[in-house]
Amino acid sequence: MAKFTEEEQTLRRIERRFNKGVVQYGLIEEGDKILIGLSGGKDSLALVELLGKRARIFKPRFSVVAVHVVMKNIPYQSELDYLKTHAETFGIPLVVYETSFDPATDTRKSPCFLCSWNRRKALFTVAKEQGCNKIALGHHMDDILETLLMNITFQGAFSTMPPKLVMKKFDMTIIRPMCLVHETDLVELATLHNYRKQVKNCPYESQSSRSDMKGILHQLEVLNPEARYSLWGSMTNIQEDLLPDKQVGLILKNKDI
């Protein structure tokens, strides 16, 4: 029986989880042209590697292009040469798109929201220019579960970022191929393949609640090592008969009881 090195075992585990997510949620189809949002963080670098490898050897056949969005009024210091080399290593061309936003245009929204919204807008613009029908984002399982916890806590809604979101209005599909990959997997991959960390000096980063939810998810796993799988399973195991009546719940909410 063949024995694998620790590095080989890590790569096999990551690729198994990645491929399972792609197949289970039907994320890639024959003839797809997929745009990857390459921020330069470990998650997007990993997505370039994993999708680039799959495009070379797996069916259905599809093509990939990456875009790095430069937000001119945020002091990021991306190494564009490194990002281009990384993408081209896996046969993926890189497009650099510059844009900006004015936080004073809508004081009701946080700068983080406005920045994210404008980055997403840029992705759609480049996807259309490149003839892509899908946009792949580097969210992993932890991101999706943290969003679930955030939406329950702050929005009173049982929702999250789905592995696949068909946006008919924009004739575009958002996919998250790393939906079943753990963040610890990607930390290991970044170390094994010496991903170069990009300098990030965002003045608004402290306004995010995501780091708090990351800590809560960790606490849940301390209580129950299988907590992430229970949370994931709960999203497709909605037992409506054991939940409050929707109409009654709306009435109570409106009365602030």
Side-chain angles (χ1 to χ4, degrees), residues 202-244:
C202 178
Y204 309 116
E205 190 172 28
S206 63
Q207 297 181 22
S208 174
S209 299
R210 184 164 294 276
S211 59
D212 295 331
M213 287 302 159
K214 191 180 296 292
I216 290 173
L217 179 59
H218 176 70
Q219 291 178 40
L220 291 173
E221 289 189 293
V222 171
L223 292 172
N224 173 19
E226 301 296 313
R228 69 172 52 233
Y229 302 111
S230 295
L231 285 169
W232 191 274
S234 72
M235 292 187 284
T236 54
N237 184 26
I238 309 298
Q239 300 177 14
E240 294 187 11
D241 291 344
L242 300 179
L243 295 173

Side-chain angles (χ1 to χ4, degrees), residues 156-220:
F158 195 82
S159 63
T160 189
M161 305 180 293
K164 183 177 183 179
L165 178 62
V166 179
M167 307 188 74
K168 295 181 180 179
K169 180 179 179 181
F170 300 100
D171 192 27
M172 191 69 61
T173 299
I174 303 294
I175 60 173
R176 296 178 170 89
M178 298 195 302
C179 59
L180 298 184
V181 179
H182 300 188
E183 184 171 23
T184 52
D185 291 335
L186 301 179
V187 171
E188 289 186 52
L189 183 63
T191 300
L192 288 172
H193 290 180
N194 298 311
Y195 287 169
R196 191 177 301 172
K197 190 173 183 179
Q198 304 296 293
V199 176
K200 189 170 95 168
N201 297 308
C202 178
Y204 309 116
E205 190 172 28
S206 63
Q207 297 181 22
S208 174
S209 299
R210 184 164 294 276
S211 59
D212 295 331
M213 287 302 159
K214 191 180 296 292
I216 290 173
L217 179 59
H218 176 70
Q219 291 178 40
L220 291 173

Side-chain angles (χ1 to χ4, degrees), residues 146-157 213 216:
E146 289 158 13
T147 300
L148 173 67
L149 293 173
M150 287 176 68
N151 288 349
I152 292 172
T153 302
F154 296 108
Q155 304 297 329
M213 287 302 159
I216 290 173

